[in-house]
Amino acid sequence: MDYKYLILIFLFLSCANEIKTPKPISLPPTKKNRPDLVEKTIFSMGLMTEYEVWEFLRTKPSEISVIETLGLPDSIWMSNNDSIKFLYYFIDQIQDYNLIEINSITNNVSGFEWD
C-alpha cells in the first residue's frame, strides 16, 4: 500500500514544469562610460549615407553588427519588461537622436527610427 502513495508522489513530481531562470541581459557599453572602446567606423568616417544606414537596419542585423558598423551608442535604455534595448545615436549635423530597437532575446534589430 505504501508503494501506491510513493508511485503517485513520483508521478506528480515528475510532471511538474521545469523552473526556468531568466537569461541575464547584457547591455553594450556607451561612448560615455567606455571612451577607450570608441573606434572609427564606416559611419563615423562619413563613408555611409543616412539612406545606407536605413537600408542596413532594415535587414535586421545583430547588435554586434550594428555596433561594428555605427559605433558605440550615445545612450542605452531598456523597456519596462526588459524585452527591448533602445540604442540612441546622436547625430551632430542635425542635432537629433536616432533610435535603434534591439530585441533582448534574439539580439537583432526589431525596429528603428533613423532620420
Side-chain angles (χ1 to χ4, degrees), residues 18-26 81-83 104-105:
E18 177 184 349
I19 297 174
K20 296 181 181 180
T21 57
K23 183 177 123 182
I25 298 170
S26 64
N81 59 0
D82 292 340
S83 64
S104 60
I105 296 170

Side-chain angles (χ1 to χ4, degrees), residues 2 19 21 28-29 37 46-47 49 51 63 70-72 75-76 78 89 97-99 105 110 113 115:
D2 292 329
I19 297 174
T21 57
L37 295 178
L47 301 175
T49 67
Y51 180 74
E63 178 182 309
L70 303 177
L72 294 177
S75 63
I76 301 170
M78 289 292 294
Y89 287 86
Y97 275 98
N98 289 306
L99 164 76
I105 296 170
S110 60
E113 178 187 325
D115 298 334

